[in-house]
């Protein structure tokens, strides 16, 4: 009889944690990560899985949202397996907050603005449902020594009971535009050297 395999999530595999979950490199496949919720009944995790289930088709075509591969058993309880956001050299990618905090030279300012403009285009086009402006859920993936792209790893879905955004692309895009403008306001407030008055006008939708 085949026994169900239990993955061992050792300390060396730890990537990071937020308020609800921690992430580890998948022990058998470094291109994937395993996330463990602190609370097995976490509402945010359920919300995300519901969104991923109902909008599976759309999300399978998304450039921004990481792929989901299902559940596994681990020594830390039930884990969910996702595509791991990592750089071309195999290192873990930075989240947008750490990335922007390290921006200082004029060249880096230009690069970060280009990254945000690309993100703006994809995010508005795809109309991804996200809940708040927490930029630690966006990761900056270095796909080559000169190219970066943004990825969304968390906080997708909506707490709304009957989520029209799941069924209408038009409503999804309209809602995404509103959330985007809140993110841009937040960025202007917190990273004024990147999002100055002039760039703010370009970045708003
Ligand atoms: N798919 C992923 N690839 C790489 N790192 C990730 C991935 N998902 C999450 N992480 C890392 O783990 C941290 C916590 O995960 P997150 O999903 O944001 O949990 P929480 O719900 O607690 O905010 C993230 O901030 C990020 O550093
Ligand atoms: Mg998070």
């Amino acid at each position: 009889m085949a026994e169900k395999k239990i993955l061992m999530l050792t300390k060396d595999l730890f990537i990071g944690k937020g308020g609800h979950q921690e992430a580890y490199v998948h022990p058998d496949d470094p291109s994937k990560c395993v996330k463990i919720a602190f609370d097995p009944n976490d509402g945010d995790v359920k919300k995300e899985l519901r969104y991923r289930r109902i909008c599976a088709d759309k999300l399978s075509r998304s450039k921004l949202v990481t792929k989901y591969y299902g559940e596994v058993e681990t020594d830390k309880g039930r884990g969910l397996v996702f595509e791991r956001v990592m750089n071309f050299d195999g290192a873990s990618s930075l989240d947008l907050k750490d990335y922007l905090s390290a921006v200082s030279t004029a060249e880096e300012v230009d690069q970060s603005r280009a990254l945000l403009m690309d993100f703006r285009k994809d995010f508005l086009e795809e109309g991804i449902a996200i809940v708040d402006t927490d930029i630690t859920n966006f990761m900056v993936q270095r796909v080559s020594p000169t190219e970066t792209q943004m990825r969304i790893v968390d906080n997708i879905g909506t707490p709304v009971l009957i989520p029209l955004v799941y069924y209408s692309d038009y409503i999804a895009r309209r809602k995404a535009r509103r959330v985007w403008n809140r993110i841009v306001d937040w960025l202007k407030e917190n990273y004024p050297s990147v999002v100055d008055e002039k760039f703010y006008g370009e970045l708003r939708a």
Side-chain angles (χ1 to χ4, degrees):
M1 200 172 77
E3 267 177 55
K4 199 159 187 200
K5 187 176 172 188
I6 294 187
L7 296 179
M8 305 298 277
L9 302 179
T10 47
K11 269 199 197 120
D12 55 308
L13 298 172
F14 180 76
I15 302 174
K17 68 175 177 183
H20 301 254
Q21 304 168 82
E22 49 184 12
Y24 292 83
V25 178
H26 193 299
D28 300 338
D29 182 354
S31 73
K32 295 182 176 139
C33 75
V34 182
K35 292 210 247 183
I36 310 289
F38 303 142
D39 171 1
N41 286 312
D42 190 281
D44 281 357
V45 175
K46 284 189 177 153
K47 180 188 72 190
E48 169 168 349
L49 291 180
R50 184 165 74 132
Y51 181 49
R52 285 184 178 274
R53 194 172 59 242
I54 299 174
C55 295
D57 229 42
K58 162 170 155 167
L59 294 179
S60 74
R61 291 187 302 269
S62 172
K63 289 202 268 178
L64 296 175
V65 176
T66 47
K67 301 281 172 277
Y68 172 58
Y69 299 109
E71 293 181 13
V72 286
E73 281 307 316
T74 81
D75 59 334
K76 298 185 165 29
R78 182 185 76 147
L80 303 178
V81 180
F82 296 91
E83 168 193 358
R84 175 183 168 215
V85 179
M86 59 176 177
N87 298 338
F88 65 93
D89 59 2
S92 288
S93 301
L94 292 180
D95 69 42
L96 181 58
K97 192 170 208 166
D98 289 340
Y99 171 86
L100 288 177
S101 300
V103 166
S104 62
T105 65
E107 195 189 350
E108 286 165 353
V109 169
D110 285 349
Q111 286 165 351
S112 65
R113 286 179 181 162
L115 173 76
L116 289 169
M117 285 306 283
D118 284 347
F119 185 34
R120 173 189 190 278
K121 178 173 177 289
D122 292 334
F123 184 72
L124 297 174
E125 234 168 64
E126 293 187 0
I128 301 301
I130 58 169
V131 182
D132 63 23
T133 58
D134 181 357
I135 64 166
T136 65
N137 297 317
F138 308 143
M139 296 183 87
V140 180
Q141 185 170 35
R142 301 187 60 196
V143 287
S144 81
T146 54
E147 293 160 289
T148 53
Q149 66 184 24
M150 201 82 83
R151 305 300 305 277
I152 300 175
V153 300
D154 181 33
N155 216 2
I156 58 174
T158 157
V160 174
L161 207 58
I162 303 166
L164 292 175
V165 290
Y166 291 178
Y167 303 100
S168 157
D169 285 342
Y170 170 75
I171 295 177
R173 289 206 186 96
R174 197 179 58 185
K175 175 84 181 142
R177 195 165 63 229
R178 271 193 239 127
V179 175
W180 176 257
N181 284 333
R182 276 172 41 216
I183 293 171
V184 176
D185 287 347
W186 189 91
L187 289 172
K188 178 172 181 267
E189 192 77 21
N190 290 278
Y191 296 94
S193 56
V194 173
V195 183
D196 60 11
E197 212 50 67
K198 178 168 177 289
F199 185 59
Y200 177 74
E202 290 172 44
L203 199 57
R204 292 258 316 177

